[in-house]
Amino acid sequence: MQEEAQSKQSEEALRASELRYRRLFETAKDGILILDARTGQITDVNPFLVNLLGYSYHEFIGTPLWEIGPFKDIKECKLAFLELQEKEYIRYESLPLETKDGRSIAVEFVSNVYGLSGGTRVIQCNIRDITRRKQAEDVRHRSDEETRRLFEANPAGSYVAKPDGRLITCNSAFARMLGFASVEEAMKVDLASLYPDRASREASLQLVREKGRLERDEADLRRKDGSLVHTVASVAGTFDERGELAEIHGCFIDAGERAQTEQQLRHAHKKKSLFHLKTFLSKAGPGRTIVYVPAKEILFQQGKRGNAVFYILAGAVKLTVDSLGKESTIALLGPGNFAGKECAAAVRPRSTASARTLTNCTILRIERKEMLRVIQNEKTFAAFFLDYLLARITRYQEVIRDQLLNSSEKRLARTLLLLGNFGDGGKAKLVIPTIHQEELAEVVGTTRARVSFFMNRFRRQGFVTYKGRSSITISTTKLSRFIMA
């Protein structure tokens, strides 16, 4: 009787253990497959994986792993199974799969072999959906690449250095202005050695430690050949958790080159010309059409070659990029901005972004041939367009600096000013159309709730005025003062 009671208790404990395992198996938030270690046939699958991939339970059971839909196109699948039988463990950090309805997902795939009572060996495959994490990594990687391209394309000499003068990186303009043959050669130089007056450098460095940044800092730098170049620089510092200066981010221009360029531009503006820039950008004509575009209309699409440049006369346009089916807003453009300008390149590249009207817009559509003609033949327009491109590069630099150094509140303030075409008219107040807070949040790199909080604060401080879904009036003086504080 005692032996029978002990046997009954053991059976009950075994059933309880199996029930607990089954509950864990069926409620797990990762996909789980159980395979026969000898044949590779699926013997069990949990509900999470059924829902994730869209195949029914019966479509899984009894089918070898490499014959089930999501794994069919993975050539290494059967080889991996043979390797698993030998090593008893295999892992894929990121494995692309396709669901039954055609969606692409990324998963982390971990398999191991273990034995059961009676000598049976099974393979347990744990499958974790990492699609969102992968998308976030792709967006971050794309952002890093875009930042590097902007850094390299900046016509100003840009660099990142340690406080002791060791260069971390610099761009081609930095090397050119200081007489080096390449970036690699420039990187071998200590930044501190370029200053003939070490005392003035130490004074500037101390101001960066105290204020965090310097604007229009003038200094003489020594070129490779020993000659001096007078520069005007903007410098910002980044600090570690102890508040110590960790890195210096700077960009500078050759003051002599700038003065010469400004003189040439002033001379060009004084010349009378039959070409009238304002008329060209506000009137229809050969190769130019003024169009009214309602909200949410596509101007051009990512991956396609454009055949026209769009000059925004009224309204707002957003630029977006698409990655793995997820659309992200990267910029908002207001009046006075060009969209699709990359089509004017000598070798017409495919668009790296899509443009869609955010509000009802009035747009001047300039055919590519006409755009190329005025750039080549009309010096007034060429100077204006070059000045616009340089201003956009400067703004990209400011955006990069904002992302590195400024709070999301100040990034929102700068976005509102840029959307209102701040700086082109010098107006004390500007009116911009209502923009959804979700759009502002994507551009600023924060949440909609934070944008709502900041917009309410801006309204209380008198930076902006709006009511309900009406247009937004910006106090440019107050908002720009807040950014520079």
Side-chain angles (χ1 to χ4, degrees):
M1 290 176 65
Q2 187 176 357
E3 290 177 356
E4 184 177 348
Q6 289 177 347
S7 176
K8 187 174 182 180
Q9 288 176 354
S10 297
E11 290 176 0
E12 289 177 353
L14 181 60
R15 282 196 295 271
S17 176
E18 289 176 347
L19 181 60
R20 285 195 299 272
Y21 170 79
R22 195 68 200 178
R23 285 175 178 169
L24 288 172
F25 180 80
E26 294 190 351
T27 59
K29 296 305 179 184
D30 288 339
I32 302 175
L33 280 174
I34 305 297
L35 313 179
D36 185 307
R38 184 176 57 84
T39 65
Q41 289 184 332
I42 300 170
T43 59
D44 207 350
V45 57
N46 73 336
F48 183 88
L49 191 61
V50 170
N51 294 331
L52 178 66
L53 298 180
Y55 291 85
S56 70
Y57 178 84
H58 296 292
E59 287 178 293
F60 280 102
I61 300 303
T63 305
L65 178 65
W66 49 86
E67 291 184 10
I68 193 70
F71 301 93
K72 268 188 176 180
D73 296 329
I74 302 174
K75 297 179 180 178
E76 297 83 359
C77 190
K78 194 167 185 178
L79 295 176
F81 173 71
L82 297 175
E83 181 184 351
L84 180 62
Q85 287 179 317
E86 179 182 348
K87 297 183 178 179
E88 298 192 348
Y89 179 83
I90 197 167
R91 176 182 182 136
Y92 292 98
E93 294 287 346
S94 179
L95 187 69
L97 297 181
E98 186 174 292
T99 63
K100 192 172 183 179
D101 59 7
R103 290 181 298 108
S104 295
I105 61 173
V107 302
E108 181 183 70
F109 189 92
V110 181
S111 296
N112 61 285
V113 180
Y114 60 91
L116 300 178
S117 59
T120 304
R121 290 167 60 79
V122 298
I123 298 171
Q124 179 172 317
C125 304
N126 291 74
I127 301 171
R128 175 167 295 177
D129 184 2
I130 60 168
T131 305
R132 290 188 178 180
R133 188 180 78 192
K134 188 69 175 173
Q135 289 173 344
E137 290 174 354
D138 290 343
V139 169
R140 187 163 56 251
H141 178 68
R142 187 170 62 250
S143 176
D144 291 343
E145 286 186 340
E146 183 66 21
T147 299
R148 184 65 206 180
R149 283 198 295 269
L150 291 173
F151 180 82
E152 183 58 33
N154 192 352
S158 300
Y159 65 89
V160 180
K162 290 290 186 181
D164 62 5
R166 284 177 296 148
L167 280 170
I168 298 172
T169 185
C170 67
N171 68 351
S172 300
F174 178 96
R176 177 184 60 79
M177 289 184 192
L178 296 175
F180 296 103
S182 65
V183 169
E184 290 74 20
E185 184 183 10
M187 286 292 295
K188 297 176 183 178
V189 177
D190 189 324
L191 183 64
S193 68
L194 300 176
Y195 286 80
D197 183 1
R198 296 294 185 94
S200 63
R201 180 183 182 272
E202 290 301 324
S204 298
L205 201 59
Q206 185 59 32
L207 288 174
V208 173
R209 288 190 177 98
E210 294 172 359
K211 297 183 178 181
R213 66 177 60 212
L214 284 178
E215 300 290 343
R216 298 189 61 80
D217 182 48
E218 297 191 25
D220 288 329
L221 296 180
R222 184 183 290 111
R223 289 191 179 99
K224 180 184 177 181
D225 61 6
S227 62
L228 297 180
V229 54
H230 188 66
T231 64
V232 180
S234 294
V235 182
T238 59
F239 298 82
D240 59 24
E241 62 275 4
R242 296 174 299 174
E244 298 290 335
L245 182 62
E247 291 181 355
I248 301 167
H249 298 251
C251 63
F252 63 85
I253 60 172
D254 184 337
E257 286 184 1
R258 180 179 180 180
Q260 183 179 2
T261 302
E262 288 177 347
Q263 184 178 3
Q264 290 173 349
L265 289 174
R266 284 195 296 269
H267 183 66
H269 284 309
K270 288 179 181 178
K271 289 184 177 180
K272 292 185 179 180
S273 174
L274 296 176
F275 179 83
H276 298 286
L277 180 62
K278 289 185 178 179
T279 302
F280 180 83
L281 291 175
S282 61
K283 305 288 185 182
R288 310 191 313 278
T289 309
I290 292 180
V291 293
Y292 171 81
V293 186
K296 299 183 179 180
E297 289 291 320
I298 295 175
L299 297 181
F300 54 83
Q301 289 184 302
Q302 179 179 340
K304 295 186 177 181
R305 289 189 172 92
N307 55 9
V309 176
F310 302 88
Y311 183 71
I312 305 169
L313 298 173
V317 172
K318 70 173 181 177
L319 298 181
T320 62
V321 294
D322 185 276
S323 176
L324 296 175
K326 179 177 175 59
E327 185 180 85
S328 299
T329 301
I330 59 171
L332 302 179
L333 302 178
N337 281 282
F338 290 91
K341 51 191 177 294
E342 57 270 15
C343 83
V347 178
R348 194 170 27 160
R350 297 184 185 275
S351 298
T352 57
S354 298
R356 186 190 301 268
T357 54
L358 197 57
T359 64
N360 295 336
C361 293
T362 303
I363 294 176
L364 177 67
R365 187 179 187 276
I366 308 172
E367 296 291 339
R368 180 174 184 269
K369 288 183 178 180
E370 176 64 6
M371 190 72 180
L372 293 175
R373 185 193 68 79
V374 293
I375 290 174
Q376 294 169 359
N377 300 327
E378 301 294 347
K379 293 183 179 179
T380 304
F381 182 83
F384 165 79
F385 192 59
L386 177 61
D387 190 48
Y388 171 82
L389 294 178
L390 292 175
R392 292 301 302 177
I393 291 174
T394 302
R395 289 178 181 176
Y396 287 146
Q397 185 77 20
E398 291 170 348
V399 169
I400 294 170
R401 188 175 61 194
D402 275 351
Q403 292 291 337
L404 293 172
L405 305 175
N406 281 343
S407 65
S408 53
E409 185 176 17
K410 286 196 175 183
R411 296 202 300 271
L412 174 61
R414 188 182 294 278
T415 299
L416 293 173
L417 285 176
L418 292 180
L419 190 61
N421 205 25
F422 176 68
D424 291 339
K427 297 179 181 178
K429 289 190 176 182
L430 292 168
V431 178
I432 65 173
T434 299
I435 305 298
H436 290 298
Q437 292 181 353
E438 290 87 350
E439 307 288 351
L440 292 172
E442 285 190 22
V443 174
V444 173
T446 187
T447 62
R448 180 192 177 283
R450 293 286 289 170
V451 168
S452 177
F453 174 79
F454 293 143
M455 288 296 289
N456 287 329
R457 178 185 287 179
F458 288 171
R459 181 163 55 179
R460 289 195 299 271
Q461 293 175 335
F463 297 167
V464 299
T465 305
Y466 64 92
K467 184 177 181 181
R469 301 182 64 82
S470 62
S471 58
I472 303 173
T473 301
I474 300 173
S475 174
T476 59
T477 304
K478 292 181 178 179
L479 206 55
S480 59
R481 191 182 300 128
F482 166 73
I483 291 175
M484 298 302 295

